[in-house]
Amino acid sequence: MATDIDLHLGRRLRRRRRLLGLTQQQLALQVGIRFQQIQKYECGANRISAARLWQLAEALETPVNYFYDGLAEAMERQETANGAGEMFSRKETLDLIQAYYQLGERPRRRLLDLAKSLHAEGDAPANA
């Protein structure tokens, strides 16, 4: 199973190859492998070793760190998405959404306003 890092490197590999107008076959010939291996790298099915990454960077006329550009941001976005996915997988969240949409428009707006006001009260400093 591909990791997020493998997928990111594969996307960067594909982007650079296409930017240079190379086919998978042409790149594979430059590096001395079969085009199927390039396909597997690009989809994240196979990991790219450090030595192979160096060869690919040379063939694509780019520094090795090009492949890692944007990785930290991509990992943060993935963590955020996983957190939201976890929240929506809870039964109480699904029950709340279902009940919300069974209400008419006016009660839905009032319930939303109530939820927002409760959240705002939770953020306000307590009076001593």
Side-chain angles (χ1 to χ4, degrees):
M1 176 167 233
T3 69
D4 295 334
I5 296 171
D6 297 326
L7 292 170
H8 181 82
L9 293 177
R11 282 192 289 271
R12 298 291 290 175
L13 173 62
R14 177 180 291 126
R15 178 180 295 156
R16 182 67 182 169
R17 177 182 61 77
R18 287 180 174 171
L19 183 68
L20 295 177
L22 295 172
T23 65
Q24 290 176 337
Q25 181 67 40
Q26 291 167 326
L27 179 57
L29 285 173
Q30 286 185 21
V31 181
I33 58 177
R34 295 180 181 252
F35 81 93
Q36 291 94 335
Q37 189 61 42
I38 299 293
Q39 286 178 328
K40 291 177 181 181
Y41 289 152
E42 289 184 354
C43 72
N46 283 9
R47 289 191 165 166
I48 306 172
S49 71
R52 180 74 71 213
L53 192 59
W54 183 269
Q55 290 176 322
L56 290 166
E58 290 286 311
L60 295 171
E61 302 170 359
T62 191
V64 172
N65 65 347
Y66 164 83
F67 296 100
Y68 294 95
D69 286 348
L71 180 60
E73 294 85 1
M75 297 299 281
E76 286 177 20
R77 283 192 304 270
Q78 185 65 34
E79 287 177 19
T80 301
N82 286 345
E86 191 176 301
M87 177 178 57
F88 284 106
S89 68
R90 294 183 193 156
K91 184 178 178 346
E92 72 179 76
T93 303
L94 298 175
D95 290 345
L96 181 61
I97 291 170
Q98 186 177 26
Y100 176 82
Y101 282 107
Q102 289 175 349
L103 297 172
E105 184 179 341
R106 187 161 185 239
R108 272 200 320 260
R109 267 190 274 128
R110 292 176 64 204
L111 181 58
L112 182 59
D113 290 341
L114 173 63
K116 287 178 180 179
S117 70
L118 290 171
H119 178 70
E121 286 177 17
D123 291 343
N127 292 336

